[in-house]
Amino acid sequence: MQKEQFTMKILVINAGSSSLKYQLIDMQTEGVIAKGGCERIGIPGSVLKAKGNGKEKVYNNDMPSHKVAIELVLEALHDDEIGVIKSMKEIDAVGHRIVASGEYFKKTTLVTPEVLKTLEEKTFELAPLHNPAAATAIRACMEVMPGTPMALVFDSSFHQTMPEKAYLYGIDYDDYKKYGVRKFGAHGTSHKFVSQEAAKFLGKKPEELKIVTCHLGNGSSISAVDGGVCVDTSMGFTPLAGVLMGTRSGDIDASAVEFLARKKGLSHADMVTYLNKKCGVAGISGVSSDFRDLEAGMEKGNERCKLALDMFNYQTKRFVGAYAAVMGGLDCIVFTAGIGENTPYVRAGVCEGLEFLGVKLDLEKNEGKNDGGIRDISAAGSRVKVLVIPTNEELVIARETAELL
Ligand code: ADP
């Protein structure tokens, strides 16, 4: 029994509207045996880039649907050259990343026909691009690997511990009850992973620590993790809330949204698309949503690139301060994801002026090279530890799936 559990291999699937990323993880070592991604599913020119056995292979096969994509992924896992398994039976379970759960799912859930029905009937409108793609991928897996257990692992599960006073909006309570409009948060697997890694790194139990985790990527969210559980997070009903992001506005007065829509002659739906796709640091800078481009622009003297970066730092810092207040203290700040792991300007900007909270950054360490490991960038004597921790959302999905089984 024990042995079986230790040799478990879990396939993690992260399906987007036209993409599908996967990793096959050996749960004994928690190492990645094979991984890859399909792009342009349903669009001409689809491609799968797959890695296994230390080699990479590119499949330029037509992928009109997620089902065909899944079939191709399984083919790659069996491939003579890059394949890592001999039979489908070697895959013990599949963990699917699901963006939105609404109030229908609180934790990692085993896929059954009823569960799939609820996912399809209740949650699509909460994440219209991601959840339908995930459901299609699940149905495709059920067809090509019948009998293999599957789990739904939700981005929002880690945030389910938020108290009501943190997740409610100041709207009519009956409307909250009727429509389920509240804060759900996102990037939960990442916040969970890095907060646990931080505790391990510091040689403490998660229960002993008050941590602010900053997942700063193209989408960014900040969480307050008190005693190992999430007590607040910056994203809301959808990932549009919180700090300004690559192309998302972040928090904005709802009346300003209505005012802007009227001035620009945009429908409700178009206005939401505008706030998701045309705003954020891309909108402020007028240059790019990519922080590398913004830094390059700033170095050349582009004031709006600098403004976009400084707004991002300022808004992130505001959440760090707010969450220290919410938790009544702060032991550790964690930076993770593309920007958090790679952009010293942001980490320095967020920590600057937080000395009153006991935060002291070592500027030299902050500028140090990203070696892919955990880095302590706080100065000697800093009461609050500042850590850079590479995130690993796939591993959390695999762990949750293994635990469920
Ligand atoms: P997401 O997963 O939300 O699409 P990422 O976590 O990959 O986003 O973060 C993307 C952001 O990280 C971009 O703005 C990019 O500029 C920034 N970044 C900065 N340096 C690097 C780097 N060396 N590698 C990857 N992303 C980087």
Side-chain angles (χ1 to χ4, degrees):
M1 185 70 190
Q2 275 278 315
K3 187 165 175 285
E4 235 172 62
Q5 201 174 7
F6 279 128
T7 54
M8 190 179 266
K9 287 191 186 92
I10 296 200
L11 180 64
V12 174
I13 293 194
N14 180 355
S17 54
S18 65
S19 68
L20 188 147
K21 289 185 252 171
Y22 70 91
Q23 286 191 3
L24 185 66
I25 298 180
D26 179 335
M27 295 315 290
Q28 186 179 2
T29 59
E30 295 199 328
V32 177
I33 316 169
K35 65 189 225 178
C38 307
E39 285 162 36
R40 301 180 65 87
I41 300 169
I43 306 169
S46 41
V47 59
L48 161 63
K49 290 179 191 151
K51 284 186 187 163
N53 276 334
K55 295 178 208 145
E56 187 176 21
K57 187 164 171 178
V58 178
Y59 296 75
N60 286 303
N61 300 35
D62 200 20
M63 284 179 256
S65 67
H66 283 78
K67 177 162 181 272
V68 178
I70 295 270
E71 282 168 351
L72 192 59
V73 165
L74 294 174
E75 195 183 311
L77 291 173
H78 283 97
D79 188 87
D80 286 342
E81 210 183 323
I82 62 159
V84 292
I85 56 169
K86 298 224 162 16
S87 140
M88 212 87 96
K89 291 209 180 75
E90 288 179 50
I91 299 175
D92 295 284
V94 185
H96 292 271
R97 177 207 175 200
I98 309 290
V99 169
S101 65
E103 291 201 312
Y104 304 101
F105 301 101
K106 305 249 184 252
K107 54 185 194 313
T108 297
T109 305
L110 197 67
V111 176
T112 63
E114 295 73 48
V115 162
L116 195 51
K117 192 159 171 263
T118 306
L119 184 79
E120 291 177 333
E121 287 179 1
K122 307 285 188 190
T123 70
F124 279 11
E125 63 179 357
L126 299 172
L129 289 180
H130 286 89
N131 279 22
T136 313
I138 294 163
R139 288 211 178 271
C141 283
M142 287 165 97
E143 266 187 59
V144 291
M145 24 194 338
T148 306
M150 297 193 206
L152 307 181
V153 184
F154 297 94
D155 267 15
S156 45
S157 296
F158 184 59
H159 306 305
Q160 286 290 334
T161 43
M162 285 189 288
E164 199 176 31
K165 66 183 176 190
Y167 69 66
L168 280 187
Y169 293 122
I171 58 169
D172 185 325
Y173 191 83
D174 293 338
D175 286 336
Y176 152 61
K177 279 299 199 196
K178 201 160 154 195
Y179 303 114
V181 173
R182 49 159 281 188
K183 184 194 278 205
F184 291 112
H187 299 138
T189 47
S190 179
H191 289 287
K192 180 175 182 175
F193 179 76
V194 297
S195 58
Q196 289 177 345
E197 287 292 296
K200 257 194 257 167
F201 181 82
L202 297 173
K204 298 250 163 107
K205 293 201 184 93
E207 298 79 54
E208 296 172 308
L209 292 168
K210 296 179 188 298
I211 307 177
V212 173
T213 48
C214 305
H215 176 108
L216 310 179
N218 201 24
S220 293
S221 63
I222 297 108
S223 291
V225 184
D226 192 355
V229 298
C230 176
V231 293
D232 207 345
T233 193
S234 63
M235 279 181 169
F237 181 64
T238 74
L240 184 53
V243 293
L244 87 165
M245 305 171 215
T247 58
R248 295 186 196 128
S249 63
D251 293 339
I252 174 171
D253 182 340
S255 298
V257 174
E258 191 276 333
F259 184 87
L260 252 178
R262 216 163 359 104
K263 291 288 179 195
K264 290 173 74 73
L266 295 178
S267 66
H268 288 175
D270 288 345
M271 192 59 202
V272 173
T273 304
Y274 165 84
L275 291 169
N276 271 294
K277 306 255 185 218
K278 303 264 182 228
C279 296
V281 292
I284 293 292
S285 68
V287 170
S288 173
S289 62
D290 192 298
F291 276 55
R292 288 167 285 198
D293 298 338
L294 298 179
E295 283 197 289
M298 178 175 70
E299 275 154 30
K300 286 195 198 112
N302 184 319
E303 287 295 329
R304 275 174 49 193
C305 284
K306 180 169 173 1
L307 175 64
L309 286 165
D310 290 344
M311 281 177 71
F312 183 79
N313 294 352
Y314 175 80
Q315 294 191 8
T316 304
K317 187 211 301 256
R318 204 160 52 184
F319 275 105
V320 174
Y323 289 165
V326 159
M327 295 188 288
L330 181 65
D331 300 305
C332 179
I333 301 174
V334 178
F335 289 100
T336 192
I339 298 161
E341 292 167 35
N342 295 296
T343 315
Y345 185 80
V346 167
R347 295 191 297 253
V350 172
C351 292
E352 187 189 359
L354 293 184
E355 290 79 8
F356 78 100
L357 281 177
V359 179
K360 229 173 125 197
L361 201 64
D362 183 318
L363 293 176
E364 210 169 299
K365 284 187 187 158
N366 181 41
E367 293 289 336
K369 209 169 140 15
N370 180 2
D371 58 5
I374 298 183
R375 288 184 290 149
D376 180 352
I377 55 168
S378 33
S382 176
R383 203 186 48 72
V384 174
K385 289 286 173 202
V386 185
L387 305 178
V388 180
I389 303 184
T391 192
N392 192 341
E393 293 168 88
E394 288 76 14
L395 181 56
V396 176
I397 294 172
R399 282 180 185 165
E400 296 258 329
T401 304
E403 265 170 40
L404 188 70
L405 297 179

